[in-house]
């Protein structure tokens, strides 16, 4: 393998709002740089999880190294570091950015700048990245590249007149992007002879190699035999292998030196020891201080996960352990619910992260799960002076023991066209938002800033936003901190019995409204049974809402002859299957999805 | 001794499809009907033609070893066929099978497709039971259902049938119709019973998908399922009231309920249909016709073109496990008011019902949905109302 000078390396990522064409452009770059033939290209090479494909988003960062022969006749190494495209993974994004010198900013020629575009640009600017704007989707009839270029210059304040105008889908003008990467994005610097200093921006678990660390070497060099140390976790091991990323495969090499992006394996057993953002150094010759920006990842959203079949509890534990090998941000600990039995309280970066884990458990591990409504982490200040971080509403202390409570607040940025400003502001008000500012970024579009309680946005805020703006609003947020709040625990009683897994914490001022909607929703979800079932919502001992599921009066098939028997049996099987998917609470059968009912309180 | 076999023959043609109907039936030209009868006759004549070579299916249908106890010409509207066509079908059956001299041979018939001559011919070719689709004695309701006849048309045909010598006639009636009340239902029922047919099938209207009625009343069906008040259909309470009235009113007129929706004078139960609930072997011919042979269930193709061209293929072939057969014995048997015999169950499966179904039996008996009498397990009145719920407990 030919060694490359630092001057011929380009480390960059692609940033974009969702659906603006990030993954498609990545595919084209990989294609044009010739590491893959057209035949080998399955669509969107970088997104290789099913779920990512279905949702069109990238969840786990992927990285590819390509060789590009530029017009100047020289060969360049392109390290394309893909970044997750969702606000849940902001920290991961920031670490990926820190591994780059530049960012290709993809903006949709028809839609222009969106909230995520801005959020990503700010992140990139924070890391002093060179930003290379690219106008994508110029093949669309509604494309207005001129307007979008102006918007980029006005809103972001970067030069965009020369921005390549491309269609990643059709492969138009991709060459211009490649040349701009060579010209505009700086080559890495860093001293190959200084003590080793490398940034971990991702890691995956491989059953043969153990943990594979994705890193960017800032200074020094690392090779087989180097004794490395993770500066934050203190974990230390001898390097077994280093290498770089081919498309979809790991290619070993002699050494990674300052400026290079690659992987390290060192028979580490657990990704917990290789945290994203941590600095790798040489144990025998350590650098003086770690790279800035390391944070221990915090779980923002918690929920209970229970196997539908209680006997599958050990399977669920095994599955969670396996997923955690690859996902250090997933937390879980055992818990017990009177209604649901043995399960786990799991912590996630956000709701998308939760859904991803849930789907992987169901699809890859064939587990049938009951998931309780997600909750944020509340701080409970007790009169005794003790402070509890409350991740499960069931554990809320008696109100008499509580001095006050705090809830997490986010800074939210919403970009919306003029006509929907009113309805979006209403939405933010309903969700207890505090208005911060509004600025017009162009004649027809404004950037709204609000502070919003996290518990108001984890469920369905995004859906509400989309429906109230006919899909035009875009949204991004980051955590601001904690703020005191009047919170109460809402308990649900079904047939007079409290169902612990249905309790949730709610702002006192909206408790009645939520209680009423919750009861209505549960009435829809709980099928009629042989007796009447009261559904009640209570705060403390006070019932504040009630609905009734009427007794089943009639469930009979008038006809069943020779030709109906197979069909009739299927019907009964469905009925029986439905029963299996129920949880027995007292003498009432509750369908599993009812435990998620609180998520749907706002579908009107 | 020869094994009992029932034969079902499907005639998928109708003068016009009714608005509530989701059966495999449709209007067709004279030419198609003739070609269909050709195909049917061929189908009946080819030994093992559409019977899958699986399990005990072929043996169970073995023509030398079986005696046909019942034949049922169902539809659609079999009475739409010409006399000659009916005759060809029955001749084919008689040639291919050993048909018992005492066999019950039923034909479904709809008013508006019958006349004295045709009825006479039917009787002469050995059809000895007529099942007449009256549905309602009210012309307003008949129109709303999309029927092609009036009550008067029916009366004429009914009398012609009696004159032709039919002494075993069923009348179909429908309850829970839009706009119907408990009172109007009772009056209609009394009127029909006064004609003294030997048998009455009284069905509660079901709103089936893919029908014009579904478009009209689908929303109502949903409301009913949720226990709420529908807009057009009688609510659950009234529907159950109608059901109770049916039994009471027909009992006074000398009919006993022997299945969830079937009522007969003493000894006039439909033997063919009883076979379905008792899991007697049956062999179906014609489009979409189902069969049960031993532990094998299958059905003939539902595609007319394929049937006309090639005589079709068995589809949805299922070999029932022992558990399936137990479950079927229970949920089909429970439809009969007599219930399921514990002795027969044990005799057939070499294990007691109690052992297999301890939990659901205990639960359902306790809840008053089932009762146990003289070695039979049967539904209580309350059990009938929620019989799907009860039956589902017996799946294994």
């Amino acid at each position: 393998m030919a060694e490359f000078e630092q001057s011929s390396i380009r480390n960059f990522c692609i940033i974009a709002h969702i659906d603006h064409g990030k993954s498609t452009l990545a595919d084209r770059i990989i294609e044009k740089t010739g590491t893959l033939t057209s035949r080998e290209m399955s669509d969107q090479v970088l997104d290789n999880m099913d779920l990512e494909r279905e949702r069109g988003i990238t969840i786990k960062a992927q990285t590819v190294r390509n060789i590009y022969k530029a017009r100047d006749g020289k060969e360049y190494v392109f390290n394309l570091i893909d970044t997750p495209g969702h606000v849940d993974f902001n920290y991961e994004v920031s670490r990926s950015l820190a591994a780059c010198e530049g960012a290709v900013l993809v903006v949709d020629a028809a839609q222009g700048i969106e909230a995520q575009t801005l959020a990503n640009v700010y992140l990139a600017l924070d890391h002093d990245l060179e930003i290379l704007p690219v106008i994508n989707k110029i093949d669309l009839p509604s494309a207005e590249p001129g307007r979008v270029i102006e918007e980029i210059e006005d809103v972001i304040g970067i030069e965009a007149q020369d921005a390549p105008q491309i269609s990643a889908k059709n492969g138009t003008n991709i060459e211009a992007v490649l040349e701009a990467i060579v010209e505009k994005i700086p080559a890495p610097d860093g001293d190959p002879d200084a003590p080793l200093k490398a940034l971990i921006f991702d890691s995956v678990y491989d059953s043969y190699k153990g943990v594979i660390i994705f890193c960017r070497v800032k200074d020094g060099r690392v090779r087989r035999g180097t004794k490395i140390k993770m500066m934050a976790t203190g974990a230390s091991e001898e390097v077994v292998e280093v290498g770089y990323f081919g498309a979809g495969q790991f290619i070993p090499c002699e050494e990674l030196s300052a400026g290079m992006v690659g992987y390290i394996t060192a028979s580490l057993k657990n990704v917990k020891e290789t945290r994203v953002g941590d600095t790798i150094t040489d144990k025998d010759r350590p650098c003086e201080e770690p790279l800035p920006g390391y944070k221990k990842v915090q779980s923002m959203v918690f929920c209970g996960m229970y196997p539908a079949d209680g006997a599958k509890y050990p399977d669920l534990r095994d599955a969670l352990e396996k997923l955690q090998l690859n996902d250090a941000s997933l937390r879980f600990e055992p818990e017990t619910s009177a209604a649901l039995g043995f399960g786990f309280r799991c912590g996630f970066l956000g709701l998308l992260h939760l859904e991803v884990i849930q789907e992987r458990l169901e699809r890859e591990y064939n587990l049938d799960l009951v998931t309780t409504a997600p909750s944020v982490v509340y701080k409970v200040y007790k009169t005794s002076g003790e402070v509890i971080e409350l991740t499960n509403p069931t554990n809320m202390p008696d109100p008499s023991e509580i001095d006050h409570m705090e809830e997490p607040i986010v800074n939210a940025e919403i970009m919306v066209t003029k006509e929907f400003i009113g309805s979006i502001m209403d939405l933010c008000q309903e969700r207890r938002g505090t208005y911060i500012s509004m600025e017009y970024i162009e004649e027809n579009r404004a950037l709204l800033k609000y502070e919003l309680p996290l518990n108001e946005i984890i469920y369905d805020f995004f859906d509400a936003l989309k429906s109230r703006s006919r899909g035009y609003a875009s949204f991004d947020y980051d955590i601001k901190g904690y703020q005191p709040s009047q919170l109460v625990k809402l308990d649900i009683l079904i047939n007079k019995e409290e169902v612990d897994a249905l309790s949730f914490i709610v702002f006192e001022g909206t408790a009645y409204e939520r209680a009423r909607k919750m009861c209505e929703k549960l009435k829809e979800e709980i099928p009629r049974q042989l007796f009447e079932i009261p559904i009640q919502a209570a705060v403390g001992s006070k019932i504040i809402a009630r609905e009734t599921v009427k007794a089943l009066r009639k469930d009979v098939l008038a006809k069943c002859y020779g030709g109906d028997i197979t069909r009739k049996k299927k019907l009964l099987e469905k009925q029986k299957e439905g029963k299996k998917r129920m949880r027995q609470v007292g003498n009432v059968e509750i369908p599993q999805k009812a435990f998620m009912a609180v998520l749907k309180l706002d579908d009107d | 001794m020869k094994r009992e076999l029932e034969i079902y023959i499907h005639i998928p043609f109708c003068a016009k499809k009714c608005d509530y109907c989701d059966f495999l039936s449709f209007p067709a030209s004279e030419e198609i009907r003739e070609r269909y009868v050709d195909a049917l006759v061929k189908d009946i004549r080819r030994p093992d033609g559409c019977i899958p070579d699986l399990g005990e299916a072929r043996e169970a249908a073995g023509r030398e070893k079986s005696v046909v106890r019942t034949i049922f010409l169902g539809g659609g509207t079999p009475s739409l066929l010409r006399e000659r066509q009916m005759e060809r079908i029955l001749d084919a059956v008689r040639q291919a099978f050993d048909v018992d001299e005492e066999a019950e041979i039923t034909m479904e018939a709809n008013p508006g497709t019958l006349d004295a001559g045709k009825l006479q011919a039917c009787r002469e070719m050995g059809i000895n039971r007529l099942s007449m689709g009256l549905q309602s004695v009210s012309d307003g309701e008949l129109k709303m259902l999309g029927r092609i006849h009036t009550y008067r048309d029916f009366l004429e045909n009914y009398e012609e049938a009696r004159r032709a010598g039919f002494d075993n006639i069923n009348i179909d009636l429908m309850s829970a119709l839009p706009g119907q009340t408990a009172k109007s239902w009772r009056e209609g029922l009394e009127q029909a019973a006064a004609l003294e047919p030997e048998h009455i099938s009284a069905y509660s209207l079901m709103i089936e998908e893919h029908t014009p009625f579904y478009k009209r009343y689908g929303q109502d069906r949903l409301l009913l399922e949720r226990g709420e008040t529908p807009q057009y259909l009688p609510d659950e309470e009234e529907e159950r009231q109608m059901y109770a009235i049916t039994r009471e009113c027909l009992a006074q007129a000398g009919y006993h309920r022997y299945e969830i929706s079937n009522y007969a004078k003493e000894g006039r139960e439909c033997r063919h249909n009883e076979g379905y609930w008792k899991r007697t072997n049956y062999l179906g011919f014609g489009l979409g016709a189902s069969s049960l042979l031993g532990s094998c269930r299958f059905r003939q193709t539902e595609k007319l073109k394929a049937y006309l061209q090639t005589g079709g293929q068995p589809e949805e072939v299922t070999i029932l496990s022992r558990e399936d057969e137990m479950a079927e014995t229970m949920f089909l048997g429970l439809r009969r008011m007599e219930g399921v015999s514990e002795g027969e169950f044990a005799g057939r499966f070499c294990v007691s019902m109690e052992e297999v179904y301890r939990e659901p039996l205990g639960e359902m008996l306790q809840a008053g949905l089932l009762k146990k009498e003289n070695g039979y397990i049967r539904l209580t009145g309350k059990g009938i109302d929620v019989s799907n719920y009860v039956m589902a407990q017996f799946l294994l």
Side-chain angles (χ1 to χ4, degrees):
Chain A
M1 186 200 72
E3 284 301 326
F4 284 88
E5 296 291 320
Q6 266 188 2
S7 65
S8 57
I9 297 176
R10 298 291 181 273
N11 298 319
F12 64 97
C13 55
I14 306 177
I15 55 179
H17 188 73
I18 187 163
D19 285 341
H20 280 196
K22 187 176 82 166
S23 299
T24 318
L25 177 58
D27 291 350
R28 291 294 164 266
I29 291 176
I30 294 166
E31 213 174 36
K32 293 280 177 187
T33 48
T35 42
L36 277 181
T37 64
S38 301
R39 196 170 50 82
E40 287 167 335
M41 294 283 299
S42 79
D43 265 349
Q44 309 215 339
V45 171
L46 288 180
D47 290 350
N48 61 18
M49 283 166 66
D50 279 357
L51 205 61
E52 292 178 352
R53 278 187 199 205
E54 276 164 32
R55 298 192 179 196
I57 50 171
T58 306
I59 294 157
K60 205 147 174 76
Q62 310 265 333
T63 300
V64 184
R65 167 180 155 137
N66 301 289
I67 310 298
Y68 175 59
K69 189 157 187 188
R71 286 199 196 123
D72 62 12
K74 288 205 283 186
E75 283 196 328
Y76 290 85
V77 178
F78 280 8
N79 287 309
L80 165 53
I81 298 168
D82 197 16
T83 56
H86 190 276
V87 57
D88 280 4
F89 306 98
N90 254 348
Y91 174 69
E92 279 76 356
V93 177
S94 82
R95 294 306 84 202
S96 292
L97 296 181
C100 301
E101 276 75 39
V104 174
L105 170 68
V106 183
V107 184
D108 184 308
Q111 292 186 352
I113 292 175
E114 297 285 358
Q116 273 181 354
T117 321
L118 269 190
N120 282 320
V121 165
Y122 293 146
L123 269 176
L125 289 173
D126 283 348
H127 292 89
D128 290 327
L129 299 193
E130 182 65 32
I131 293 176
L132 178 66
V134 168
I135 315 297
N136 190 21
K137 304 198 189 180
I138 54 160
D139 55 309
L140 291 180
S142 55
E144 292 179 80
R147 176 183 71 83
V148 172
I149 286 171
E150 254 177 59
E151 199 175 271
I152 294 172
E153 296 195 330
D154 290 352
V155 179
I156 306 175
I158 57 170
E159 168 69 34
Q161 291 304 324
D162 300 337
Q165 300 185 14
I166 67 163
S167 163
K169 194 178 95 193
N170 300 341
T172 315
N173 232 357
I174 305 300
E175 200 88 340
V177 180
L178 299 173
E179 285 298 318
I181 290 168
V182 171
E183 282 166 32
K184 302 246 168 90
I185 293 178
D189 47 20
D191 182 357
D193 299 318
L196 174 65
K197 192 188 249 187
L199 171 73
I200 303 179
F201 63 88
D202 200 359
S203 57
V204 298
Y205 181 81
D206 178 278
S207 45
Y208 298 105
K209 297 184 172 182
V211 177
I212 301 174
I213 305 166
F214 292 24
C215 67
R216 157 70 195 274
V217 183
K218 293 284 189 180
D219 284 320
R221 37 184 108 234
V222 58
R223 49 169 55 226
R224 183 188 172 92
T226 310
K227 285 202 182 62
I228 52 166
K229 182 183 170 193
M230 319 297 147
M231 295 182 77
T233 65
S236 172
E237 266 303 336
E238 195 175 290
V239 173
V240 174
E241 183 181 308
V242 299
Y244 56 89
F245 308 101
Q249 54 191 343
F250 297 104
I251 301 170
C253 67
E254 283 286 306
E255 177 183 270
L256 296 175
S257 63
M260 294 175 82
V261 170
Y263 72 89
I264 298 175
T265 68
S267 55
L268 289 156
K269 292 284 177 299
N270 199 318
V271 286
K272 279 185 201 161
E273 294 168 336
T274 58
R275 294 198 187 127
V276 170
D278 198 354
T279 304
I280 304 171
T281 192
D282 189 329
K283 197 181 176 202
D284 300 329
R285 191 185 162 219
C287 59
E288 280 180 11
E289 53 185 32
L291 293 158
Y294 171 74
K295 277 199 291 191
K296 193 175 169 198
V297 179
Q298 293 280 331
S299 300
M300 299 309 300
V301 175
F302 284 79
C303 75
M305 286 190 167
Y306 293 82
D309 171 1
K312 293 275 171 72
Y313 175 80
D315 299 12
L316 175 58
R317 188 189 51 223
D318 290 350
L320 284 167
E321 275 168 4
K322 285 203 183 101
L323 288 177
Q324 204 179 41
L325 285 176
N326 257 328
D327 184 351
S329 54
L330 170 65
R331 283 177 54 187
F332 62 92
E333 55 190 46
E335 72 171 7
T336 322
S337 149
L340 299 174
F342 292 104
F344 295 93
R345 175 94 343 204
C346 304
F348 307 94
L349 298 171
L351 200 65
L352 179 78
H353 188 210
L354 183 159
E355 284 173 20
V356 169
I357 297 293
Q358 189 182 356
E359 289 207 40
R360 292 191 65 185
L361 288 168
E362 285 178 344
R363 281 194 205 179
E364 293 169 29
Y365 296 91
N366 263 326
L367 288 163
D368 203 355
L369 296 178
V370 187
T371 311
T372 66
S375 168
V376 302
V377 183
Y378 298 96
K379 286 187 180 165
V380 183
Y381 292 81
K382 294 175 72 171
T383 45
S384 64
E386 193 190 345
V387 183
I388 301 174
E389 297 216 335
L390 188 69
T391 58
N392 182 351
T394 320
N395 300 337
M396 182 147 140
D398 191 82
S400 64
E401 294 172 29
I402 300 174
D403 182 68
H404 71 282
M405 284 176 73
E406 288 184 353
E407 65 176 329
I409 303 291
V410 303
N411 291 313
E413 296 193 348
I414 301 162
M415 199 163 289
V416 62
T417 47
K418 213 166 161 181
E419 52 186 321
F420 300 114
I421 291 174
S423 59
I424 298 303
M425 288 177 92
D426 288 346
L427 174 67
C428 292
Q429 294 299 333
E430 287 161 26
R431 301 299 178 97
R432 299 190 284 134
T434 307
Y435 172 81
I436 302 297
S437 68
M438 178 173 78
E439 53 189 290
Y440 276 87
I441 57 164
E442 57 178 326
E443 201 183 322
N444 195 29
R445 283 207 308 170
L447 178 66
L448 281 170
K449 292 190 180 175
Y450 268 88
E451 282 178 13
L452 284 159
L454 182 62
N455 87 348
E456 296 284 347
I457 60 174
I458 53 168
Y459 304 148
D460 59 346
F461 185 75
F462 197 65
D463 294 340
L465 200 67
K466 288 277 171 200
S467 75
R468 292 205 199 183
S469 64
R470 284 194 223 124
Y472 283 115
S474 59
F475 168 60
D476 204 53
Y477 69 85
D478 58 36
I479 301 291
K480 176 174 180 267
Y482 275 77
Q483 192 167 290
S485 181
Q486 289 297 322
L487 299 161
V488 292
K489 181 164 76 118
L490 197 67
D491 292 319
I492 302 294
L493 290 83
I494 293 180
N495 207 18
K496 316 270 183 194
E497 262 191 70
E498 189 179 316
V499 182
D500 58 356
L502 285 171
S503 295
F504 60 104
I505 287 169
V506 61
F507 178 65
E508 195 174 25
T510 56
Y512 276 92
E513 177 73 4
R514 293 243 137 192
R516 189 178 58 75
K517 284 188 173 168
M518 183 72 178
C519 289
E520 279 172 13
K521 206 78 202 174
L522 285 170
K523 185 190 171 184
E524 279 173 34
E525 298 281 355
I526 297 176
R528 298 160 72 202
Q529 287 161 43
L530 295 175
F531 44 88
E532 189 176 279
I533 306 163
I535 299 170
Q536 296 160 301
V539 172
S541 58
K542 191 175 165 202
I543 304 289
I544 62 171
R546 181 191 161 118
E547 287 283 342
T548 306
V549 179
K550 283 199 195 155
L552 180 64
R553 183 72 184 86
K554 183 206 167 194
D555 184 13
V556 47
L557 273 189
K559 287 190 185 190
C560 182
Y561 297 113
D564 307 321
I565 292 168
T566 309
R567 205 171 61 146
K568 157 99 172 165
K569 189 153 74 186
K570 279 189 188 136
L571 200 118
L572 294 177
E573 269 161 8
K574 216 171 127 193
Q575 201 156 346
K576 175 139 192 198
E577 200 49 42
K579 195 179 149 94
K580 261 206 238 156
R581 295 183 159 272
M582 306 247 207
R583 282 291 169 153
Q584 186 92 23
V585 176
N587 55 352
V588 181
E589 281 161 350
I590 304 177
Q592 295 173 16
K593 63 181 180 156
F595 293 96
M596 292 288 268
V598 67
L599 293 187
K600 296 174 202 139
L601 296 187
D602 288 272
D603 323 338
D604 288 329
Chain B
M1 209 182 83
K2 285 191 169 185
R3 258 187 295 219
E4 288 192 16
L5 181 67
E6 306 198 324
I7 285 181
Y8 176 80
I9 292 161
H10 192 68
I11 308 297
F13 309 119
C14 277
K16 169 187 171 292
K17 198 162 170 89
C18 300
D19 291 357
Y20 56 86
C21 174
D22 79 329
F23 291 154
L24 182 58
S25 63
F26 41 85
S29 68
E30 177 67 32
E31 188 220 330
I32 292 285
R33 299 203 299 242
E34 182 65 20
R35 282 177 58 202
Y36 183 80
V37 173
D38 293 343
L40 195 52
V41 165
K42 227 192 261 170
D43 190 7
I44 293 167
R45 282 187 178 146
R46 55 178 183 168
D48 298 344
C50 75
I51 301 169
D53 192 6
L54 278 171
E56 354 153 47
R58 288 197 172 168
E59 207 207 315
R63 299 185 176 192
E64 293 74 31
K65 290 186 202 137
S66 301
V67 57
V68 173
R69 298 278 186 206
T70 70
I71 301 173
F72 197 102
L73 285 144
T77 306
S79 55
L80 199 62
L81 295 182
R82 294 172 182 279
E83 290 100 298
R84 174 79 195 115
Q85 294 171 323
M86 296 176 194
E87 204 169 0
R88 285 178 61 204
I89 296 167
L90 285 176
D91 284 349
V93 175
R94 287 200 177 94
Q95 279 163 24
F97 294 89
D98 174 10
V99 178
D100 186 0
E101 269 184 35
E102 303 281 294
E104 173 194 274
I105 305 179
T106 306
M107 182 175 76
E108 289 188 320
N110 277 317
T113 62
L114 292 170
D115 57 56
K118 197 185 262 185
L119 284 161
Q120 189 65 45
C122 287
R123 190 67 200 83
E124 277 162 18
M125 67 182 84
I127 295 172
N128 52 27
R129 187 173 181 272
L130 213 54
S131 176
M132 299 185 73
L134 168 58
Q135 316 310 351
S136 171
V137 300
S138 144
D139 285 347
E141 283 177 355
L142 289 172
K143 201 169 166 200
M144 181 262 306
L145 291 167
R147 305 285 298 178
I148 56 163
H149 59 89
T150 61
Y151 181 55
R152 177 167 286 277
D153 295 335
F154 162 79
L155 274 184
E156 242 166 64
N157 289 159
Y158 182 79
E159 278 153 24
E160 283 162 352
R162 286 298 194 207
R163 276 199 294 273
F166 280 100
D167 59 2
N168 196 1
I169 299 182
N170 165 59
I171 293 178
D172 278 351
L173 289 172
M174 289 170 91
S175 64
L177 302 181
Q180 202 175 44
T181 62
K183 186 165 170 284
S184 71
W185 167 243
R186 180 192 289 272
E187 287 163 6
L189 205 55
E190 280 166 353
Q191 208 174 330
L195 298 172
E196 297 199 39
E198 285 64 34
H199 189 285
I200 293 179
S201 294
Y203 302 110
S204 181
L205 171 70
M206 294 196 275
I207 305 296
E208 305 285 1
E209 282 167 48
H210 316 297
T211 62
F213 262 36
Y214 189 73
K215 286 200 192 86
R216 270 180 253 168
Y217 307 118
Q219 188 59 34
D220 266 13
R221 183 174 110 171
L222 215 74
L223 288 167
L224 280 167
E225 278 163 10
R226 283 160 50 173
E228 287 161 38
T229 311
Q231 199 180 348
Y232 307 102
L233 300 174
D235 65 22
E236 277 185 328
E237 218 41 65
E238 186 149 30
E239 191 277 335
R240 283 294 91 186
Q241 209 185 329
M242 290 182 196
Y243 187 70
I245 286 170
T246 311
R247 185 191 186 189
E248 171 208 316
C249 179
L250 291 182
Q252 273 168 17
Y255 300 87
H256 66 283
R257 181 170 69 198
Y258 69 98
E259 191 260 2
I260 289 178
S261 304
N262 283 289
Y263 303 79
K265 292 204 162 164
E266 200 53 47
R268 297 299 195 143
E269 298 84 0
C270 175
R271 279 156 51 195
H272 183 84
N273 287 341
E274 287 227 288
Y276 293 139
W277 305 314
K278 289 178 170 171
R279 301 187 72 253
T280 309
N281 283 330
Y282 58 93
L283 182 53
F285 293 105
L287 205 63
S290 297
S291 300
L292 168 69
L293 295 171
S295 57
C296 181
R297 283 196 185 279
F298 62 94
R299 117 178 123 56
Q300 179 52 276
T301 181
E302 290 182 337
K303 294 198 177 80
L304 180 64
K305 206 170 152 193
Y307 189 71
L308 294 182
Q309 282 171 357
T310 66
Q313 284 277 335
E315 290 175 7
E316 292 182 10
V317 181
T318 333
I319 297 291
L320 303 171
S321 66
R322 194 165 154 243
E323 283 74 24
D324 290 333
E325 296 202 52
M326 288 183 187
E328 286 191 357
T329 302
M330 295 308 292
F331 79 73
L332 292 171
L334 284 174
R335 291 195 70 87
R336 298 178 64 246
M337 296 301 112
E338 185 186 46
V340 190
S341 154
E342 290 181 298
E344 277 175 36
F345 187 98
R348 184 176 309 178
F349 298 110
C350 301
V351 57
S352 75
M353 195 193 288
E354 177 64 30
E355 198 169 315
V356 181
Y357 290 115
R358 177 158 305 149
E359 206 178 305
L361 274 177
E363 220 175 283
M364 298 294 114
L365 287 166
Q366 171 82 29
L369 300 174
L370 288 179
K371 63 184 171 201
K372 193 170 170 174
E373 264 170 21
N374 308 325
Y376 279 82
I377 296 291
R378 60 181 70 130
L379 289 169
T380 61
K382 204 170 137 198
I384 293 175
D385 291 343
V386 294
S387 49
N388 286 342
Y389 173 86
V390 178
M391 290 167 181
Q393 317 298 318
F394 289 93
L395 296 184
L396 291 168

